[in-house]
Amino acid sequence: DGGITQSPKYLFRKEGQNVTLSCEQNLNHDAMYWYRQDPGQGLRLIYYSQIVNDFQKGDIAEGYSVSREKKESFPLTVTSAQKNPTAFYLCASSIDGRRGEKLFFGSGTQLSVL
Amino acid sequence: EDQVTQSPEALRLQEGESSSLNCSYTVSGLRGLFWYRQDPGKGPEFLFTLYSAGEEKEKERLKATLTKKESFLHITAPKPEDSATYLCAVIGNGGFKTIFGAGTRLFVKA
């Protein structure tokens, strides 16, 4: 079945540590996105990518980094510069990101600070 | 600035008690309005896309409608399995970024 796979489901970060969240899709979609979800707030865009080897900052990119070396993969690194990383992280994809089409989401990663 | 506001924040219904969820939006040229369902600890699941005022779409007990300023998600005779958070989102002509509301948490009691 086609879809988006996020791993791990749960992740714990120690102070000063960088952690990487994995996102893989087999939908052959060009566009991929990372969102952060906090209780009582809407999803906020961290980074997005419309094509391999290109990505753009979203609304809350500080303290995060991404790469897009393959069409299928869009990993997110939460760096030590992100002082409040505890949140539910969602990866999504869409066909090409240019026509306002719907998003397909993964099952999410819950990141907590030890 | 594009913005989406959903109300109420939470809604508690008895099984069979129909109601509506509201999504008010401000966007520079609506390219699409979306409804998603999200279960606890999972990613959102697509329900509907609406493109222009007057448009309506239905799926089982759910019906989405759209005006120039807001959208409603009508739930007819809900069942406990309809309990979830319902998210509204928009994309404007200014770009392809999807703007989400905070969601409405729906609880349906048997």
Side-chain angles (χ1 to χ4, degrees), chain A residues 49 51-55 66-75:
Chain A
S49 169
I51 195 169
V52 174
N53 292 323
D54 186 52
F55 48 83
V66 295
S67 63
R68 186 90 186 273
E69 297 177 359
K70 298 187 300 181
K71 185 176 183 177
E72 302 79 19
S73 179
F74 193 41

Side-chain angles (χ1 to χ4, degrees), chain A residues 9 33 35 37 40-43 45 48 50 59 88 90 97-103 105-108, chain B residues 31-32 34 36 38 41-46 49 51 85 87 91 95-103:
Chain A
K9 180 68 175 175
Y33 312 80
Y35 284 91
Q37 187 174 34
Q41 296 189 38
L43 277 66
L45 184 64
Y48 61 93
Q50 286 183 285
D59 298 319
F88 191 53
L90 288 160
R98 297 183 185 90
R99 293 175 290 172
E101 67 270 14
K102 65 185 180 185
L103 298 174
F105 285 90
S107 56
Chain B
R31 185 177 289 185
F34 306 85
Y36 294 87
Q38 185 177 24
K42 297 187 177 181
E45 181 181 321
F46 171 77
T49 306
Y51 294 104
T85 296
L87 302 174
I91 295 179
F96 62 89
K97 186 172 69 173
T98 305
I99 307 298
F100 283 86

Side-chain angles (χ1 to χ4, degrees), chain B residues 1-3 25-31 90-94 99:
Chain B
E1 181 182 340
D2 298 347
Q3 193 170 356
Y25 65 90
T26 303
V27 66
S28 54
L30 181 68
R31 185 177 289 185
V90 298
I91 295 179
N93 284 333
I99 307 298

Side-chain angles (χ1 to χ4, degrees), chain B residues 26-89:
Chain B
T26 303
V27 66
S28 54
L30 181 68
R31 185 177 289 185
L33 183 141
F34 306 85
W35 283 98
Y36 294 87
R37 169 190 169 130
Q38 185 177 24
D39 293 304
K42 297 187 177 181
E45 181 181 321
F46 171 77
L47 292 173
F48 304 108
T49 306
L50 301 168
Y51 294 104
S52 58
E55 189 175 1
E56 299 182 352
K57 288 193 177 173
E58 287 189 68
K59 179 180 180 181
E60 297 181 354
R61 295 177 292 281
L62 300 177
K63 179 180 178 181
T65 62
L66 181 64
T67 72
K68 289 186 177 180
K69 293 185 178 180
E70 57 190 351
S71 176
F72 292 94
L73 185 65
H74 306 279
I75 302 177
T76 302
K79 298 181 178 182
E81 53 262 41
D82 293 323
S83 297
T85 296
Y86 291 85
L87 302 174
C88 177

